[in-house]
Amino acid sequence: MRIILAPMEGLVDAPIRETLTKVGGIDRCVTEFIRVTHNLLPPRVFYKFAPELYNQSLTQVGTPVAIQLLGSDPEEMGRNGRRAVELGATQVDINFGCPAKTVNRHKGGCVLMREPELMHNITAAVRQALPAHVLVTAKMRLGYDDRSMGVACAQALEAAGAEEIVIHARSKVDGYKPPAYWEEIARAREAVKAKIIANGEIWTVADYWRCREVSGCEDVMIGRGLIARPDLARKIKASQQGVEIDDLAWPEAVVLVREYAEVLQGWLEDRYVTGRIKQWLNFLRQGFSEAEAIWPKARKIREVAPMLACLEQDIPASQIAVRAA
């Protein structure tokens, strides 16, 4: 009954993985995709996306982190998967789910679901290039043009050696519009023996249990829901034990954002740090009325210090000084 933090390009970077795994409840993370074209990437690229490689592919609290690759050349995907393992990767994930137009136009991500045979060849090349003990997994949607390809693509991935398959319960055309078609995940799950992990539209504990019931999957992957409510995985874990715990309070969420910003300042220029904070705050609006209230002002701020001051307005200093549990 695992909970996996989804790889969200441009947002779920190493600092936010560290922040969210410290809150608790997350069993695994996946990096933003590493784009593979026609060359063997240098180690610095892997370390940039996954500094956890320096720590046995674990976050500071010991949560495993998978390396995700995106590309359409089987040989190069295999070579780069092998390099990831040489650098310390314990799991290599393959991206067949990204709906971004730029990615799809360059034959990466979800557009590959139009070609199950190519998905098979890519996955088989990665599986064959890696030691048997390294987990090879894949993430996909239900299809590109519509939701008709879930079963065929899951079968192709299983036949190629993928041990686990995450299915986002929408097609590329569906984008991120509700609802999620969890029942279509169930069809794919019944057609293969590989472990299927459900993904899509899990915002609350109640959503989690409905997703499990409809999809039949024990494990789930959560992206936007965990960004909006950083304690969602922790609350789900408690519910698995029949326990209900208090929600994360807004001052605690602000502490998390401040910690995230402080780490980011060691990585990026301030203007980029502010942009990342805004991305997170935009999601927090869905989980906290306080975030919604300050958004009109915060979205116009371009520097880190004023942004953090805006977040902390009306919160006693004593609550900001204490790290969220």
Side-chain angles (χ1 to χ4, degrees):
M1 297 188 291
R2 297 170 299 168
I3 299 169
I4 302 167
L5 176 61
M8 299 174 65
E9 185 194 6
L11 181 58
V12 181
D13 50 22
I16 212 167
R17 290 195 293 269
E18 293 292 348
T19 300
L20 294 179
T21 55
K22 286 177 182 176
V23 175
I26 297 172
D27 297 295
R28 182 200 299 168
C29 303
V30 183
T31 67
E32 301 167 87
F33 66 74
I34 299 174
R35 187 73 163 98
V36 173
T37 53
H38 303 293
N39 62 304
L40 181 61
L41 296 170
R44 60 179 171 78
V45 173
F46 292 91
Y47 290 129
K48 173 186 174 182
F49 283 92
E52 295 95 344
L53 288 169
Y54 290 115
N55 187 42
Q56 300 177 305
S57 291
L58 302 171
T59 66
Q60 292 177 18
V61 296
T63 306
V65 177
I67 303 297
Q68 187 180 79
L69 303 180
L70 180 148
S72 57
D73 184 316
E75 181 179 357
E76 293 300 336
M77 288 286 282
R79 292 177 68 208
N80 281 279
R82 183 164 54 245
R83 168 149 289 181
V85 172
E86 291 169 353
L87 297 174
T90 56
Q91 175 186 347
V92 174
D93 188 68
I94 307 170
N95 184 321
F96 296 115
C98 180
K101 291 181 180 179
T102 302
V103 170
N104 292 167
R105 190 164 57 245
H106 290 89
K107 205 168 185 179
C110 194
V111 72
L112 293 170
M113 292 196 69
R114 287 174 166 172
E115 303 180 60
E117 184 177 354
L118 180 54
M119 291 175 66
H120 173 279
N121 293 344
I122 292 167
T123 305
V126 174
R127 178 65 280 173
Q128 292 166 14
L130 306 188
H133 70 274
V134 175
L135 195 65
V136 173
T137 59
K139 186 174 189 290
M140 64 179 227
R141 286 179 170 243
L142 292 170
Y144 186 87
D145 304 285
D146 54 38
R147 296 182 293 275
S148 66
M149 296 298 290
V151 170
C153 289
Q155 290 174 329
L157 295 176
E158 178 184 49
E163 286 102 334
E164 297 180 358
I165 304 166
V166 175
I167 302 180
H168 183 126
R170 298 179 176 94
S171 69
K172 186 274 180 188
V173 173
D174 292 328
Y176 292 95
K177 298 187 300 291
Y181 299 90
W182 296 327
E183 67 278 4
E184 296 296 327
I185 295 179
R187 291 183 61 239
R189 181 185 58 79
E190 292 164 1
V192 299
K193 294 181 181 178
K195 170 76 74 172
I196 299 295
I197 299 166
N199 173 230
E201 214 62 24
I202 299 173
W203 297 92
T204 66
V205 174
D207 290 340
Y208 164 79
W209 287 109
R210 284 197 299 272
C211 176
R212 285 197 51 188
E213 179 182 3
V214 175
S215 70
C217 298
E218 290 186 350
D219 301 336
V220 303
M221 174 178 279
I222 306 176
R224 295 173 300 156
L226 260 170
I227 305 301
R229 290 293 325 190
D231 61 336
L232 179 56
R234 186 171 69 185
K235 288 180 68 67
I236 290 171
K237 288 292 186 180
S239 76
Q240 291 174 353
Q241 303 300 318
V243 177
E244 186 173 339
I245 60 176
D246 292 337
D247 289 337
L248 190 79
W250 175 242
E252 295 176 297
V254 172
V255 170
L256 296 177
V257 176
R258 172 173 278 281
E259 291 183 349
Y260 173 59
E262 289 172 350
V263 175
L264 275 183
Q265 285 181 298
W267 280 40
L268 304 170
E269 295 178 27
D270 270 17
R271 60 194 176 106
Y272 296 117
V273 175
T274 308
R276 293 270 173 137
I277 295 172
K278 288 180 186 178
Q279 285 189 82
W280 193 0
L281 182 61
N282 193 26
F283 280 103
L284 290 172
R285 294 166 60 200
Q286 300 177 62
F288 297 89
S289 59
E290 296 93 338
E292 178 67 30
I294 66 174
W295 176 248
K297 178 181 177 181
R299 66 194 296 265
K300 300 175 183 178
I301 299 173
R302 297 185 178 182
E303 298 179 353
V304 176
M307 173 65 76
L308 294 177
C310 179
L311 293 175
E312 294 170 0
Q313 66 184 36
D314 302 324
I315 300 175
S318 60
Q319 294 186 42
I320 294 298
V322 178
R323 202 238 181 266

